[in-house]
Coordinates of all heavy atoms in Angstrom, one line a residue:
L1 N -7.8 2.1 14.6 CA -7.9 3.3 13.9 C -6.6 3.7 13.2 O -6.7 4.2 12.1 CB -8.3 4.4 14.9 CG -8.6 5.8 14.3 CD1 -9.7 5.7 13.3 CD2 -8.9 6.8 15.4
R2 N -5.5 3.3 13.8 CA -4.2 3.7 13.1 C -4.0 2.8 11.9 O -3.4 3.2 10.9 CB -3.0 3.5 14.1 CG -2.8 2.1 14.6 CD -1.6 2.0 15.5 NE -1.5 0.6 16.0 CZ -1.4 0.3 17.2 NH1 -1.4 1.2 18.1 NH2 -1.4 -0.9 17.6
H3 N -4.6 1.6 11.9 CA -4.5 0.7 10.7 C -5.3 1.3 9.6 O -4.8 1.3 8.4 CB -5.0 -0.7 11.0 CG -4.1 -1.5 12.0 ND1 -2.8 -1.8 11.7 CD2 -4.3 -2.0 13.2 CE1 -2.2 -2.4 12.7 NE2 -3.2 -2.5 13.6
I4 N -6.4 1.8 9.9 CA -7.3 2.4 8.8 C -6.6 3.6 8.2 O -6.6 3.8 7.0 CB -8.7 2.7 9.4 CG1 -9.4 1.4 9.8 CG2 -9.5 3.5 8.4 CD1 -10.7 1.6 10.5
A5 N -6.0 4.4 9.1 CA -5.3 5.6 8.6 C -4.1 5.2 7.7 O -3.9 5.9 6.7 CB -4.7 6.4 9.8
L6 N -3.4 4.2 8.1 CA -2.3 3.7 7.3 C -2.8 3.2 5.9 O -2.2 3.4 4.9 CB -1.5 2.6 8.0 CG -0.3 2.0 7.2 CD1 0.7 3.1 6.9 CD2 0.3 0.9 8.1
I7 N -3.9 2.4 5.9 CA -4.5 1.9 4.7 C -4.9 3.1 3.8 O -4.6 3.0 2.6 CB -5.7 1.0 5.0 CG1 -5.1 -0.3 5.6 CG2 -6.5 0.7 3.8 CD1 -6.2 -1.2 6.2
V8 N -5.5 4.1 4.3 CA -6.0 5.2 3.5 C -4.8 5.9 2.9 O -4.7 6.3 1.7 CB -6.8 6.2 4.4 CG1 -7.1 7.5 3.6 CG2 -8.2 5.5 4.7
A9 N -3.7 6.2 3.8 CA -2.5 6.9 3.3 C -1.8 6.1 2.2 O -1.4 6.6 1.1 CB -1.6 7.2 4.4
A10 N -1.6 4.8 2.5 CA -0.9 3.9 1.5 C -1.7 3.8 0.2 O -1.2 3.7 -0.9 CB -0.7 2.5 2.1
G11 N -3.1 3.7 0.3 CA -3.9 3.6 -0.8 C -3.8 4.9 -1.7 O -3.8 4.8 -2.9
A12 N -3.8 6.0 -1.0 CA -3.7 7.3 -1.8 C -2.3 7.4 -2.5 O -2.3 7.8 -3.6 CB -3.9 8.5 -0.8
L13 N -1.3 7.0 -1.8 CA 0.0 7.0 -2.4 C 0.2 6.0 -3.6 O 0.7 6.4 -4.6 CB 1.1 6.7 -1.3 CG 1.3 7.8 -0.3 CD1 2.2 7.3 0.8 CD2 2.0 9.0 -0.9
A14 N -0.4 4.8 -3.4 CA -0.3 3.8 -4.4 C -1.1 4.3 -5.7 O -0.7 4.2 -6.8 CB -0.9 2.5 -3.9
W15 N -2.3 4.9 -5.4 CA -3.2 5.3 -6.5 C -2.5 6.5 -7.2 O -2.4 6.5 -8.5 CB -4.5 5.8 -5.9 CG -5.4 6.4 -7.0 CD1 -5.6 7.7 -7.3 CD2 -6.3 5.7 -7.9 NE1 -6.5 7.8 -8.3 CE2 -6.9 6.6 -8.7 CE3 -6.5 4.3 -8.0 CZ2 -7.8 6.2 -9.7 CZ3 -7.4 3.9 -9.0 CH2 -8.1 4.9 -9.8
G16 N -2.0 7.5 -6.5 CA -1.4 8.6 -7.1 C -0.1 8.3 -7.9 O 0.1 8.8 -9.0
S17 N 0.7 7.4 -7.3 CA 1.9 7.0 -8.0 C 1.7 6.2 -9.3 O 2.3 6.3 -10.3 CB 2.9 6.3 -7.1 OG 2.3 5.1 -6.6
A18 N 0.6 5.3 -9.2 CA 0.3 4.5 -10.4 C -0.3 5.4 -11.5 O 0.0 5.2 -12.6 CB -0.7 3.4 -10.0
K19 N -1.1 6.3 -11.1 CA -1.6 7.3 -12.1 C -0.5 8.1 -12.7 O -0.5 8.3 -14.0 CB -2.7 8.2 -11.4 CG -3.3 9.1 -12.4 CD -4.5 9.9 -11.8 CE -5.2 10.9 -12.7 NZ -4.6 11.2 -13.9
L20 N 0.4 8.5 -11.9 CA 1.6 9.2 -12.5 C 2.4 8.4 -13.5 O 2.8 8.9 -14.6 CB 2.5 9.7 -11.4 CG 3.7 10.5 -11.8 CD1 3.3 11.8 -12.4 CD2 4.6 10.7 -10.6
A21 N 2.6 7.1 -13.1 CA 3.4 6.2 -14.0 C 2.6 6.0 -15.3 O 3.2 6.0 -16.4 CB 3.7 4.9 -13.3
L22 N 1.3 5.8 -15.2 CA 0.5 5.6 -16.4 C 0.5 6.8 -17.3 O 0.5 6.7 -18.5 CB -0.9 5.1 -16.0 CG -1.0 3.7 -15.4 CD1 -2.4 3.4 -14.9 CD2 -0.6 2.7 -16.4
D23 N 0.3 8.0 -16.7 CA 0.4 9.2 -17.4 C 1.7 9.4 -18.1 O 1.7 9.8 -19.3 CB 0.1 10.4 -16.5 CG -1.4 10.5 -16.1 OD1 -2.2 9.8 -16.7 OD2 -1.7 11.2 -15.1
S24 N 2.8 9.1 -17.5 CA 4.1 9.2 -18.1 C 4.3 8.3 -19.2 O 4.9 8.6 -20.3 CB 5.2 9.0 -17.0 OG 5.2 10.0 -16.1
A25 N 3.7 7.0 -19.1 CA 3.8 6.1 -20.1 C 3.0 6.5 -21.3 O 3.4 6.4 -22.5 CB 3.3 4.7 -19.6
E26 N 1.8 7.1 -21.1 CA 0.9 7.5 -22.1 C 1.6 8.7 -22.9 O 1.5 8.8 -24.1 CB -0.4 8.0 -21.5 CG -1.4 8.4 -22.6 CD -2.8 8.7 -21.9 OE1 -3.2 8.0 -21.1 OE2 -3.3 9.8 -22.2
L27 N 2.2 9.6 -22.2 CA 2.9 10.7 -22.8 C 4.2 10.4 -23.5 O 4.7 11.2 -24.3 CB 3.1 11.9 -21.8 CG 1.8 12.5 -21.3 CD1 2.2 13.5 -20.1 CD2 1.1 13.3 -22.4
G28 N 4.8 9.3 -23.1 CA 6.1 8.9 -23.6 C 7.2 9.7 -23.0 O 8.2 10.0 -23.6
A29 N 7.0 10.2 -21.7 CA 8.0 11.0 -21.1 C 9.3 10.3 -20.8 O 9.3 9.1 -20.5 CB 7.4 11.5 -19.7
T30 N 10.4 10.9 -21.0 CA 11.7 10.4 -20.8 C 12.5 11.3 -19.9 O 12.2 12.5 -19.7 CB 12.5 10.2 -22.1 OG1 12.6 11.4 -22.8 CG2 11.8 9.2 -23.0
D31 N 13.6 10.7 -19.3 CA 14.5 11.6 -18.4 C 15.3 12.5 -19.3 O 15.4 12.4 -20.5 CB 15.3 10.7 -17.6 CG 16.3 9.9 -18.4 OD1 16.2 9.8 -19.6 OD2 17.3 9.3 -17.8
L32 N 15.9 13.5 -18.6 CA 16.7 14.5 -19.2 C 18.2 14.3 -18.9 O 19.0 15.2 -19.1 CB 16.3 15.9 -18.8 CG 14.8 16.3 -19.1 CD1 14.5 17.6 -18.5 CD2 14.6 16.3 -20.6
S33 N 18.6 13.1 -18.5 CA 20.0 12.8 -18.2 C 20.8 12.7 -19.5 O 20.3 12.4 -20.5 CB 20.1 11.6 -17.3 OG 19.8 10.4 -18.1
P34 N 22.1 12.8 -19.4 CA 23.0 12.7 -20.5 C 23.4 11.3 -20.9 O 24.4 11.1 -21.5 CB 24.2 13.5 -20.1 CG 24.3 13.4 -18.7 CD 22.9 13.3 -18.2
L35 N 22.6 10.3 -20.5 CA 22.8 8.9 -20.9 C 22.7 8.7 -22.4 O 22.0 9.5 -23.1 CB 21.9 8.0 -20.1 CG 22.1 8.0 -18.6 CD1 21.0 7.1 -18.0 CD2 23.4 7.5 -18.2
L36 N 23.2 7.6 -22.9 CA 23.1 7.4 -24.3 C 21.7 7.0 -24.7 O 21.3 7.4 -25.8 CB 24.1 6.2 -24.7 CG 25.6 6.5 -24.5 CD1 26.4 5.3 -24.8 CD2 26.0 7.7 -25.3
V37 N 21.0 6.3 -23.9 CA 19.6 5.9 -24.2 C 18.7 6.6 -23.2 O 18.8 6.5 -22.0 CB 19.5 4.4 -24.1 CG1 18.1 3.9 -24.4 CG2 20.5 3.7 -24.9
P38 N 17.7 7.4 -23.7 CA 16.8 8.0 -22.8 C 15.9 7.0 -22.1 O 15.3 6.1 -22.8 CB 15.9 8.9 -23.7 CG 16.1 8.4 -25.1 CD 17.4 7.7 -25.1
L39 N 15.8 7.1 -20.8 CA 15.0 6.1 -20.0 C 13.6 6.6 -19.9 O 13.4 7.8 -19.5 CB 15.7 6.0 -18.6 CG 15.0 5.1 -17.6 CD1 15.2 3.6 -18.1 CD2 15.6 5.3 -16.3
P40 N 12.6 5.8 -20.2 CA 11.2 6.2 -20.0 C 10.9 6.4 -18.5 O 11.3 5.6 -17.7 CB 10.4 5.1 -20.6 CG 11.3 4.3 -21.4 CD 12.7 4.5 -20.9
L41 N 10.3 7.5 -18.2 CA 10.0 7.8 -16.8 C 9.0 6.8 -16.2 O 9.0 6.7 -14.9 CB 9.5 9.2 -16.6 CG 10.6 10.3 -16.8 CD1 9.9 11.7 -16.6 CD2 11.6 10.2 -15.7
A42 N 8.3 6.1 -17.0 CA 7.3 5.2 -16.5 C 8.0 4.0 -15.8 O 7.4 3.4 -14.9 CB 6.4 4.6 -17.6
L43 N 9.2 3.7 -16.1 CA 9.9 2.6 -15.4 C 10.2 2.9 -14.0 O 9.8 2.1 -13.1 CB 11.2 2.2 -16.2 CG 11.0 1.5 -17.5 CD1 12.4 1.3 -18.2 CD2 10.3 0.2 -17.4
P44 N 10.9 3.9 -13.6 CA 11.2 4.1 -12.2 C 9.9 4.5 -11.4 O 9.7 4.1 -10.3 CB 12.2 5.3 -12.1 CG 12.1 5.9 -13.5 CD 11.7 4.9 -14.4
Q45 N 9.0 5.2 -12.1 CA 7.7 5.6 -11.5 C 6.9 4.3 -11.2 O 6.1 4.2 -10.3 CB 7.0 6.6 -12.3 CG 7.6 7.9 -12.3 CD 7.0 8.9 -13.3 OE1 6.3 8.6 -14.1 NE2 7.4 10.2 -13.1
G46 N 6.9 3.4 -12.2 CA 6.2 2.1 -12.0 C 6.7 1.3 -10.8 O 6.0 0.7 -10.0
L47 N 8.1 1.3 -10.7 CA 8.7 0.6 -9.5 C 8.3 1.3 -8.2 O 8.0 0.7 -7.2 CB 10.2 0.6 -9.6 CG 10.7 -0.3 -10.7 CD1 12.2 -0.1 -10.9 CD2 10.4 -1.7 -10.5
W48 N 8.2 2.6 -8.2 CA 7.8 3.4 -7.1 C 6.3 3.0 -6.7 O 6.0 2.8 -5.6 CB 7.9 4.9 -7.5 CG 7.7 5.9 -6.4 CD1 8.2 6.0 -5.2 CD2 6.9 7.1 -6.6 NE1 7.8 7.1 -4.6 CE2 7.0 7.8 -5.4 CE3 6.1 7.6 -7.6 CZ2 6.3 9.0 -5.2 CZ3 5.5 8.8 -7.4 CH2 5.5 9.5 -6.2
A49 N 5.5 2.9 -7.8 CA 4.1 2.6 -7.5 C 4.0 1.2 -7.0 O 3.1 0.9 -6.1 CB 3.3 2.7 -8.8
C50 N 4.8 0.2 -7.4 CA 4.8 -1.1 -6.9 C 5.2 -1.1 -5.4 O 4.6 -1.9 -4.6 CB 5.8 -2.0 -7.7 SG 5.2 -2.4 -9.3
G51 N 6.1 -0.3 -5.0 CA 6.5 -0.2 -3.6 C 5.3 0.3 -2.8 O 5.1 -0.2 -1.7
F52 N 4.6 1.3 -3.2 CA 3.5 1.8 -2.5 C 2.3 0.7 -2.5 O 1.6 0.6 -1.5 CB 2.9 3.1 -3.1 CG 3.8 4.3 -2.7 CD1 4.2 5.2 -3.6 CD2 4.1 4.5 -1.3 CE1 5.0 6.3 -3.2 CE2 4.8 5.6 -1.0 CZ 5.3 6.5 -1.9
A53 N 2.2 0.0 -3.5 CA 1.2 -1.1 -3.6 C 1.6 -2.2 -2.5 O 0.7 -2.8 -1.9 CB 1.1 -1.7 -5.0
L54 N 2.9 -2.5 -2.4 CA 3.3 -3.4 -1.4 C 3.1 -2.9 0.0 O 2.7 -3.7 0.9 CB 4.8 -3.7 -1.6 CG 5.5 -4.8 -0.7 CD1 4.8 -6.1 -0.8 CD2 6.9 -4.9 -1.0
L55 N 3.3 -1.6 0.2 CA 3.0 -1.0 1.5 C 1.5 -1.1 1.8 O 1.1 -1.5 2.9 CB 3.4 0.5 1.5 CG 3.0 1.3 2.7 CD1 3.8 0.8 4.0 CD2 3.3 2.8 2.5
L56 N 0.7 -0.9 0.8 CA -0.8 -1.1 1.0 C -1.1 -2.5 1.3 O -1.9 -2.8 2.2 CB -1.5 -0.7 -0.3 CG -3.0 -0.8 -0.3 CD1 -3.7 0.0 0.9 CD2 -3.6 -0.4 -1.6
A57 N -0.5 -3.5 0.7 CA -0.8 -4.9 1.0 C -0.4 -5.2 2.4 O -1.1 -6.0 3.1 CB -0.1 -5.8 0.0
C58 N 0.8 -4.7 2.8 CA 1.2 -5.0 4.2 C 0.3 -4.3 5.2 O 0.0 -4.9 6.3 CB 2.7 -4.5 4.4 SG 3.9 -5.4 3.5
A59 N -0.2 -3.1 4.9 CA -1.1 -2.5 5.8 C -2.4 -3.2 5.9 O -3.0 -3.4 7.0 CB -1.4 -1.0 5.3
L60 N -2.9 -3.8 4.8 CA -4.1 -4.6 4.8 C -3.9 -5.8 5.6 O -4.8 -6.2 6.4 CB -4.6 -4.9 3.4 CG -5.2 -3.7 2.6 CD1 -5.3 -4.1 1.2 CD2 -6.5 -3.3 3.2
A61 N -2.8 -6.5 5.5 CA -2.5 -7.7 6.2 C -2.4 -7.4 7.7 O -2.9 -8.2 8.5 CB -1.2 -8.3 5.7
A62 N -1.7 -6.3 8.1 CA -1.6 -5.9 9.5 C -3.0 -5.7 10.1 O -3.3 -6.0 11.2 CB -0.7 -4.7 9.7
C63 N -3.9 -5.0 9.3 CA -5.2 -4.7 9.8 C -6.0 -6.0 10.0 O -6.7 -6.2 11.0 CB -5.9 -3.8 8.8 SG -7.5 -3.2 9.4
W64 N -5.9 -6.9 9.0 CA -6.6 -8.2 9.1 C -6.1 -9.0 10.3 O -6.9 -9.5 11.1 CB -6.4 -9.0 7.8 CG -7.0 -10.3 7.8 CD1 -6.4 -11.5 7.9 CD2 -8.4 -10.6 7.8 NE1 -7.3 -12.5 7.9 CE2 -8.5 -12.0 7.8 CE3 -9.5 -9.8 7.7 CZ2 -9.8 -12.6 7.8 CZ3 -10.8 -10.5 7.7 CH2 -10.9 -11.8 7.7
R65 N -4.8 -9.0 10.5 CA -4.2 -9.7 11.7 C -4.7 -9.1 13.0 O -5.1 -9.8 13.9 CB -2.7 -9.7 11.6 CG -2.0 -10.5 12.7 CD -0.5 -10.4 12.5 NE 0.1 -11.2 13.6 CZ 1.4 -11.1 13.8 NH1 2.2 -10.4 13.1 NH2 1.9 -11.8 14.8
S66 N -4.7 -7.8 13.1 CA -5.2 -7.1 14.3 C -6.7 -7.4 14.5 O -7.1 -7.7 15.7 CB -4.9 -5.6 14.2 OG -5.4 -5.0 15.3
L67 N -7.5 -7.4 13.5 CA -8.9 -7.7 13.6 C -9.1 -9.1 14.1 O -10.0 -9.4 15.0 CB -9.6 -7.4 12.3 CG -11.1 -7.6 12.3 CD1 -11.7 -6.6 13.2 CD2 -11.6 -7.4 10.9
R68 N -8.4 -10.1 13.5 CA -8.5 -11.5 14.0 C -8.2 -11.6 15.4 O -8.8 -12.4 16.2 CB -7.7 -12.4 13.1 CG -8.3 -12.6 11.7 CD -7.4 -13.5 10.8 NE -6.8 -14.6 11.6 CZ -5.6 -15.1 11.2 NH1 -5.0 -14.6 10.2 NH2 -5.1 -16.1 11.9
R69 N -7.1 -11.0 15.9 CA -6.7 -11.1 17.3 C -7.7 -10.5 18.2 O -8.0 -11.0 19.3 CB -5.3 -10.4 17.5 CG -4.1 -11.1 17.1 CD -2.9 -10.4 17.4 NE -1.7 -11.1 17.1 CZ -0.5 -10.7 17.3 NH1 -0.3 -9.5 17.8 NH2 0.5 -11.5 17.0
H70 N -8.3 -9.4 17.8 CA -9.3 -8.7 18.6 C -10.5 -9.6 18.7 O -11.1 -9.8 19.8 CB -9.7 -7.4 17.9 CG -10.8 -6.6 18.7 ND1 -10.6 -6.0 19.9 CD2 -12.1 -6.4 18.3 CE1 -11.7 -5.5 20.3 NE2 -12.6 -5.7 19.3
I71 N -11.0 -10.2 17.7 CA -12.1 -11.1 17.7 C -11.8 -12.3 18.6 O -12.7 -12.8 19.3 CB -12.5 -11.5 16.3 CG1 -13.1 -10.3 15.5 CG2 -13.5 -12.7 16.3 CD1 -13.4 -10.5 14.1
A72 N -10.6 -12.9 18.4 CA -10.3 -14.1 19.2 C -10.3 -13.7 20.7 O -10.7 -14.5 21.6 CB -8.9 -14.6 18.8
R73 N -9.8 -12.5 21.1 CA -9.7 -12.1 22.5 C -11.2 -11.9 23.0 O -11.5 -12.4 24.1 CB -9.0 -10.8 22.7 CG -7.5 -11.0 22.9 CD -6.8 -9.8 23.3 NE -5.9 -9.4 22.2 CZ -5.9 -8.3 21.5 NH1 -6.7 -7.3 21.9 NH2 -5.2 -8.0 20.5
R74 N -12.0 -11.3 22.2 CA -13.4 -11.2 22.7 C -14.1 -12.5 22.8 O -14.9 -12.7 23.8 CB -14.2 -10.3 21.7 CG -13.8 -8.8 21.8 CD -14.6 -8.0 20.9 NE -16.0 -8.1 21.4 CZ -16.8 -7.1 21.5 NH1 -16.5 -5.9 21.2 NH2 -18.1 -7.3 21.9
H75 N -13.8 -13.4 21.9 CA -14.4 -14.7 22.0 C -13.9 -15.5 23.3 O -14.7 -16.1 23.9 CB -14.1 -15.5 20.7 CG -14.7 -16.9 20.7 ND1 -16.1 -17.1 20.6 CD2 -14.2 -18.1 20.8 CE1 -16.3 -18.4 20.6 NE2 -15.2 -19.0 20.7
A76 N -12.7 -15.4 23.6 CA -12.1 -16.0 24.8 C -12.7 -15.4 26.0 O -13.0 -16.2 27.0 CB -10.6 -15.9 24.8
R77 N -12.9 -14.1 26.1 CA -13.5 -13.5 27.2 C -15.0 -13.9 27.4 O -15.4 -14.2 28.5 CB -13.5 -12.0 27.1 CG -12.1 -11.4 27.4 CD -12.2 -9.9 27.4 NE -10.9 -9.3 27.2 CZ -10.6 -8.2 26.5 NH1 -11.6 -7.5 26.0 NH2 -9.4 -7.8 26.4
A78 N -15.7 -14.1 26.3 CA -17.1 -14.5 26.4 C -17.2 -15.9 26.9 O -18.1 -16.2 27.6 CB -17.7 -14.3 25.0
E79 N -16.3 -16.8 26.5 CA -16.3 -18.2 26.9 C -16.0 -18.3 28.4 O -16.5 -19.1 29.1 CB -15.3 -19.0 26.1 CG -15.9 -19.4 24.7 CD -14.9 -20.3 24.0 OE1 -13.8 -20.5 24.4 OE2 -15.4 -20.8 22.9
R80 N -15.0 -17.5 28.9 CA -14.7 -17.5 30.3 C -15.8 -16.9 31.1 O -16.0 -17.4 32.3 CB -13.4 -16.6 30.5 CG -12.1 -17.4 30.3 CD -10.9 -16.6 30.7 NE -10.5 -15.8 29.5 CZ -10.1 -14.6 29.6 NH1 -9.9 -14.0 30.7 NH2 -9.7 -14.0 28.5
G81 N -16.5 -16.0 30.6 CA -17.5 -15.3 31.4 C -18.8 -16.2 31.5 O -19.6 -16.0 32.4
A82 N -19.0 -17.1 30.5 CA -20.2 -17.8 30.4 C -20.2 -19.1 31.3 O -19.3 -19.5 31.9 CB -20.5 -18.3 29.0

């Protein structure tokens, strides 16, 4: 159950941050810092979205690994009991 909660949370964060980065790119939003070249906000927000996507991939991998272990344990118990 905790893996599913992590997947849902990471998925929501990845989706929201990717949407924010795409909206910023579409609007052409830039930072307000006094640098010589204005930085498009889509760059750091895109990296942020990539981080959440990586978190989602890790959560999916952990869930898959946990599910495989659970199935293997049940299969081993069934063979011992038979």
Side-chain angles (χ1 to χ4, degrees):
L1 186 59
R2 65 178 177 233
H3 292 297
I4 293 171
L6 180 60
I7 289 170
V8 169
L13 289 169
W15 177 264
S17 60
K19 184 172 178 349
L20 179 67
L22 290 173
D23 288 345
S24 292
E26 184 179 310
L27 291 172
T30 58
D31 66 345
L32 299 175
S33 68
L35 296 175
L36 296 176
V37 179
L39 179 70
L41 285 178
L43 289 176
Q45 290 171 348
L47 292 173
W48 187 49
C50 288
F52 283 130
L54 182 60
L55 175 65
L56 177 60
C58 290
L60 287 168
C63 185
W64 178 251
R65 183 178 179 191
S66 177
L67 184 63
R68 284 181 37 213
R69 282 184 175 179
H70 178 70
I71 291 170
R73 271 190 249 126
R74 287 187 60 140
H75 181 67
R77 282 186 200 147
E79 284 185 351
R80 274 186 272 144

